[in-house]
Amino acid sequence: MDFNLRPYQEEVVQTALRGENSIIWLPTGGGKTRAAVYVTHNHLETTANAKVAVLVNKVHLVDQHFAKEFKPYLESRCKITAISGDSNEKDLFGRLVKASDLVICTAQILENALINMEEEKHVELTDFTLLVIDECHHTQKESVYNKIMGRYVEKKLRKEGNLPQILGLTASPGTGGNRKLDKAVDHVLQICANLDSVIVSTKNFTPVLQEVVPRPKKHYDIVERRALDPFGDHLKSMMSMIHEIMPSTVSRSLREMGTQEYEADVVELEKTENRLIAQCALHLRQYNDALLINDTVRMVDAFRGLDEFYNSRKTKLLDGTDIFLQGLFDENRMELKLLALDDRYENPKLARLQRTLLDEFSDKNSHGILFSKTRRGTHCLYDWVNTNLALLRVNIKAGILTGAGTGANHMTQNGQKETIQQFRVGVLNLLISTSVAEEGLDIPECNLVVRYGLLTNEIAQQQASGRARAMNSVYSVVAEEGGRDLRRELINEYLESLTAKAIDQVQQMSPREFRHKISELQQIAVLIRIQAERKKDERKQRYSPGQAQFQCRGCFLPVCSGEELRKIENTHHVNINPEFVRHYRTGGQVFLERSFEDWEPGQVISCNKCGKDWGMEIRFRSVVILPCLKIKNFSLKTPGGKSTPKQWKDVEFQVKEFNFLEDMSSLESFWKIYLWRSVLIL
């Protein structure tokens, strides 16, 4: 079997071929996955009772690695199974592992199987002889990768045998945000400790690698600050009027309008129990979003977002605060619209972006990616491209690529695949994407990558830059002179070089020094993990369920207590009180691409009083329909005060597991709940 490895690939796999744990560090497009396929093939050929798991951090990568890399080379040699959250087979993971030589799955699937004690679903780390961890720089902090490797390290320190070999793959471990070499070295060492691996890269064939993965030409397309911005100024004057009805101590604490810092401030204020402050903060966030959109794309896009928000609020006015806030927009709506349509004050960055696109797409064979920060931003840019006559004349055919999910502006997994396929065959030649396209996705070579209002770290910058790997490709940064985008990009350039220096310093350590440092870091990590688990358990027991009272985040209406809640599959938090149905109304049906073993989605639910989104109903075991709640949309009141947890794991009481026999023991309650939505079932 001919793998056609390049010399630098042959060099970086040597440590793994000796059966040692290693991290392969190669740039995007350098062939890390092909190297992993080669190591896997060798491992299966030379290891008794070999069993390999390839772990990825995104669902779409399961099929991608299976179809593009592992299946073509290994299908005739071994039994391969690809399993993701979309797979109905995931619920039989333990059985599938026993029946397979090679399993490709999301890390979460393996994590679920490690903690599930049902025989059909459970696996042990020692069931495997090799773990391949894709994008392994994510093996840190609370990531799923690090939870898995945390167990591995604990077993190693307890000297438990038969642990699998580890092979990590990354384009950049990064510096952890550190700007000094010694701290960057510490970060790289921590990644190595978490993965119990050395880090390897090419030393003898760097010129070959540079030829295969050429660096794009980098352009800083800088524009001057907008001289006049009457639309933005008018938004700020309206925001100041909202500040005036808030307590002065609160309004004075807010930072500069139109910044991410201001957004962070008002998001925190939304959590307060004072409804006037919370509602003002909600509206100020909309105005701040409009300022950010105004700074990135067109004024009309910013106006349209505000207009849609206030149109959706007209029927939800509960008190004088709501009436004032709605009236403020309604009184200023026409003036804002006229200003938004005045092209004398349009965003100068768009003119610069237009020139960049025209320069590159004068070549009919051009393919490019335009990176934007938000899903909404990608849709605004898509509208701009498709209404721009100059861009249409050079035959730009744009498509949107955003993260998968069920919310507004999310794409489905199939939608992602279809868009990338259209880009591959030339139906589309420009992807307008959020950061989802930076890492992992199998996107064809591009001759243009544009960063447009997307601030990320050095890892993401390297991933994005690596997309521009066609010959004579261009990596463009469109930014305002002296602006934060430009500063962040320059910092990332420095951090990229610092990463290389840190890795080199780690590689120059003597084996003894390296092992000593790694062992020390692993012991510290285990102690920290044990202490964190202890604190987590203590926090969960702080209050009894009956002491936790839930209020709607929109109108502060008390709706239930923690006693009424149950956990299903340790994930879904449902209310089992039949009376709870009186607090909410149902909306559209929720559609998910994948199916689940014991439940299926129902309709969205929202507060009966103010319309705040609360989550959705789920139909459990084809029998009972239960409201499944999003904790972030509720305020929680305990003897310790009020809080607004972002995730269920943050609540300070223990939610009981759902027990079908116990919780449905009363026929009266059962039929009440069953009949809540019986019409929907029919």
Side-chain angles (χ1 to χ4, degrees), residues 189-409:
L189 282 169
Q190 187 66 65
I191 295 289
C192 291
N194 293 347
L195 287 152
D196 194 43
S197 300
V198 298
I199 186 164
V200 296
S201 57
T202 184
K203 298 296 182 186
N204 302 317
F205 299 99
T206 302
V208 179
L209 176 59
Q210 290 172 342
E211 186 177 331
V212 172
V213 189
R215 299 278 293 184
K217 292 178 288 185
K218 190 162 191 174
H219 290 179
Y220 282 105
D221 295 327
I222 307 303
V223 299
E224 293 182 3
R225 185 181 294 271
R226 194 183 315 197
L228 294 172
D229 183 16
F231 176 78
D233 292 341
H234 198 79
L235 290 177
K236 290 177 181 178
S237 71
M238 294 169 70
M239 293 168 77
S240 295
M241 293 175 71
I242 298 175
H243 286 186
E244 289 175 9
I245 70 167
M246 299 166 69
S248 58
T249 52
V250 173
S251 58
R252 282 200 301 268
S253 69
L254 297 171
R255 284 172 282 184
E256 183 184 355
M257 296 175 187
T259 64
Q260 297 296 332
E261 290 79 14
Y262 185 93
E263 180 172 336
D265 291 342
V266 292
V267 166
E268 280 302 309
L269 287 181
E270 282 185 65
K271 300 174 184 178
T272 183
E273 57 187 282
N274 182 310
R275 189 170 192 277
L276 182 147
I277 295 174
Q279 285 302 300
C280 286
L282 171 66
H283 289 248
L284 286 169
R285 178 146 65 104
Q286 296 297 321
Y287 282 105
N288 198 65
D289 285 348
L291 286 173
L292 292 170
I293 288 289
N294 178 52
D295 185 54
T296 308
V297 277
R298 297 171 300 183
M299 296 181 289
V300 69
D301 297 312
F303 172 77
R304 189 181 299 127
L306 275 177
D307 203 36
E308 289 171 359
F309 172 76
Y310 280 100
N311 276 334
S312 71
R313 304 280 303 180
K314 285 184 176 179
T315 58
K316 302 172 185 176
L317 307 182
L318 301 182
D319 58 19
T321 301
D322 291 346
I323 293 169
F324 168 79
L325 293 167
Q326 183 72 37
L328 178 64
F329 178 77
D330 290 344
E331 290 167 12
N332 287 272
R333 182 182 181 279
M334 187 51 65
E335 186 170 355
L336 283 173
K337 185 176 182 179
L338 291 172
L339 289 171
L341 294 171
D342 192 335
D343 58 12
R344 291 177 297 169
Y345 308 113
E346 196 50 275
N347 191 341
K349 280 191 267 191
L350 285 173
R352 176 64 264 191
L353 176 60
Q354 177 178 308
R355 290 202 299 275
T356 298
L357 293 173
L358 290 174
D359 287 346
E360 293 304 316
F361 280 89
S362 58
D363 179 347
K364 293 181 180 179
N365 296 317
S366 287
H367 272 64
I369 304 178
L370 171 55
F371 283 106
S372 182
K373 181 180 180 182
T374 64
R375 294 185 187 92
R376 185 175 165 197
T378 63
H379 285 264
C380 292
L381 285 168
Y382 176 79
D383 290 342
W384 172 72
V385 169
N386 285 334
T387 55
N388 187 304
L389 295 178
L391 298 180
L392 294 176
R393 277 196 291 270
V394 295
N395 203 31
I396 289 181
K397 296 166 290 186
I400 292 171
L401 185 64
T402 64
T406 57
N409 292 336

Side-chain angles (χ1 to χ4, degrees), residues 566-569 574 576 598-599 618-626 656-667 669-671 673-674:
R566 296 292 184 271
K567 275 190 303 190
I568 295 177
E569 297 178 352
V574 299
I576 63 167
D598 288 329
W599 68 277
I618 63 172
R619 189 178 178 194
F620 184 57
R621 293 187 180 175
S622 301
V623 175
V624 59
I625 292 179
L626 297 165
K656 298 176 185 175
E657 286 290 338
F658 185 87
N659 183 299
F660 197 89
L661 292 177
E662 289 181 13
D663 293 323
M664 299 290 101
S665 59
S666 164
L667 281 175
S669 292
F670 172 83
W671 285 110
I673 298 173
Y674 182 77

